Amino acid sequence: MNNNDKLLHLLQGEEQLQKLMPDYLQKLKQQTQQHQQARLLVKQAQRQLQNLQRQIKQQLKTAARQNRQVQQQWQLMQQQATSLEQQYWARYHQPCKLFQEISALNLETTTLKQLAVWSQNLPTDSQLPLKLFQKRLQKLANATLLTSQQQAYLRTSDLQLAQLINWLSSYTRYRQVAPHKIAQKLEQIQKNLTLAALSNGPTWSHTLQAVQQTLTTLPVIMPPKTQPLLAVIHAIRKPQYYVKRGYTVLQVVQPVYAALTRLRQNITNQAHYRGMSNAWQNYQLAMQDLRQYYQEHYWQSGGTPHNFHGHDNR
């Protein structure tokens, strides 16, 4: 097999690649657009979860502040209840059960439910300074506090959200996590927020449902088939067709072989559209030089190759 046959083999191989590569590049371009859409959707879901997490953190912060304020008010009430109980004893020579209960109890959220009842059952004695005490009772009765269990549900949701937000930090990171794990984590957060039974629970539930809906609408990205292209490149690169000697031909075939190697590597590694397009353009430029060289050195003015002694049926 002479160099003419080998160069014709390269030219024929290019024709086969020309039939396959445009469709492959078009599918890669579509894949790139799908990747961009998926990245935007994942980022959107992450922002929704970050906003939800900020609300939960704010809820916990507000609950802690309210608890401190109520505790301070409760301590003042206990001190006042002790004083009133002493005054009541001095006046009636008997204890007042209500004042004793208030003095002895630790403030729990369930106690607030009793305050409204207590404020209605205070002694009707105008000689006792009950007006301020009753006002404090009513104010505390109207306070909205989170139970320790509610706060525990919120803290658990906060931790679960942090992990989920990390999973959605990028589309690449998202694809590394099994879909059922993400769905399970969303379900766990939903359950904890439902158990917390807060007034803004329905809004939070809607946010989680929106995130779930966003993630289910992510495009299913299927890479184009690479085997047809790789088969053609493999056939072109068969060792028996390599041009190994020649005075000037090596200068034009070696860039072609290098371009084919780069092309094969990009296809094997499933390179994105830009990398694949660059590799294809590099190959086409190398083949353009090869065609020009072939026309100048292997064809005479009548179209017959140099050193050709048979019949040209092409």
Side-chain angles (χ1 to χ4, degrees):
M1 185 181 297
N2 56 33
N3 281 354
N4 179 69
D5 295 326
K6 294 177 180 179
L7 294 182
L8 285 174
H9 177 73
L10 288 173
L11 292 169
Q12 291 165 359
E14 182 195 19
E15 291 178 2
Q16 296 180 52
L17 289 177
Q18 287 280 11
K19 296 176 183 178
L20 298 173
M21 187 57 73
D23 181 64
Y24 184 80
L25 286 174
Q26 179 60 28
K27 289 180 179 178
L28 281 184
K29 192 172 185 178
Q30 293 174 354
Q31 186 184 60
T32 299
Q33 294 170 344
Q34 290 176 325
H35 274 292
Q36 292 173 345
Q37 180 188 4
R39 281 193 291 268
L40 289 175
L41 289 174
V42 168
K43 198 65 180 178
Q44 175 185 329
Q46 187 197 38
R47 284 196 297 267
Q48 289 174 309
L49 292 175
Q50 286 173 332
N51 184 51
L52 174 57
Q53 187 183 41
R54 281 193 294 271
Q55 293 179 42
I56 290 176
K57 287 182 180 295
Q58 184 60 44
Q59 184 83 49
L60 286 168
K61 185 177 179 181
T62 300
R65 183 180 68 252
Q66 289 177 337
N67 281 352
R68 287 194 299 270
Q69 293 173 347
V70 170
Q71 286 288 353
Q72 292 171 356
Q73 288 295 318
W74 180 254
Q75 290 174 4
L76 291 174
M77 279 192 56
Q78 284 188 309
Q79 294 173 5
Q80 192 174 6
T82 300
S83 174
L84 288 170
E85 203 279 329
Q86 293 172 352
Q87 294 177 50
Y88 191 91
W89 177 270
R91 186 172 180 80
Y92 297 106
H93 305 290
Q94 61 182 4
C96 176
K97 185 177 180 182
L98 187 149
F99 292 142
Q100 287 181 329
E101 286 182 356
I102 294 176
S103 300
L105 288 174
N106 292 321
L107 178 63
E108 298 291 344
T109 306
T110 53
T111 307
L112 297 180
K113 298 177 182 179
Q114 304 172 19
L115 298 183
V117 178
W118 287 344
S119 67
Q120 301 300 321
N121 295 332
L122 289 173
T124 56
D125 191 332
S126 60
Q127 300 300 316
L128 296 176
L130 296 174
K131 190 173 182 180
L132 178 60
F133 185 76
Q134 187 176 33
K135 185 177 180 180
R136 284 176 172 168
L137 267 177
Q138 292 172 343
K139 183 178 180 180
L140 284 178
N142 293 327
T144 302
L145 296 180
L146 298 185
T147 66
S148 57
Q149 187 62 60
Q150 285 177 307
Q151 294 181 61
Y153 286 136
L154 289 182
R155 280 191 288 268
T156 301
S157 298
D158 180 30
L159 293 174
Q160 292 171 332
L161 277 168
Q163 185 176 27
L164 190 52
I165 288 170
N166 175 263
W167 289 349
L168 300 181
S169 58
S170 69
Y171 180 60
T172 301
R173 180 74 178 96
Y174 167 76
R175 289 190 300 171
Q176 295 172 348
V177 183
H180 76 274
K181 286 189 176 181
I182 293 177
Q184 185 180 42
K185 190 64 64 177
L186 282 168
E187 184 179 345
Q188 291 171 351
I189 297 170
Q190 176 79 64
K191 181 179 179 180
N192 283 317
L193 292 181
T194 300
L195 290 172
L198 301 180
S199 59
N200 44 6
T203 302
W204 292 350
S205 177
H206 177 74
T207 298
L208 291 172
Q209 291 173 5
V211 169
Q212 181 68 51
Q213 181 63 29
T214 298
L215 295 179
T216 55
T217 58
L218 288 177
V220 178
I221 301 174
M222 299 296 293
K225 295 181 180 180
T226 60
Q227 189 55 40
L229 281 169
L230 290 175
V232 173
I233 294 176
H234 177 71
I236 296 173
R237 288 165 46 91
K238 285 184 177 180
Q240 62 266 35
Y241 289 106
Y242 263 59
V243 178
K244 300 178 181 178
R245 59 175 61 90
Y247 290 109
T248 57
V249 69
L250 293 179
Q251 299 176 26
V252 291
V253 295
Q254 288 176 350
V256 171
Y257 293 143
L260 279 169
T261 299
R262 178 183 173 187
L263 203 59
R264 180 178 58 83
Q265 289 174 342
N266 276 269
I267 296 172
T268 302
N269 297 332
Q270 296 186 337
H272 296 308
Y273 172 76
R274 181 175 296 181
M276 195 69 235
S277 179
N278 290 339
W280 176 241
Q281 290 176 14
N282 182 59
Y283 169 72
Q284 287 183 307
L285 289 174
M287 287 303 300
Q288 182 179 334
D289 292 340
L290 177 62
R291 279 194 304 274
Q292 183 177 351
Y293 175 88
Y294 187 79
Q295 291 169 0
E296 293 176 357
H297 293 79
Y298 281 76
W299 292 84
Q300 297 173 353
S301 58
T304 305
H306 286 295
N307 304 321
F308 181 75
H309 302 292
H311 295 283
D312 185 6
N313 294 323
R314 289 167 295 172

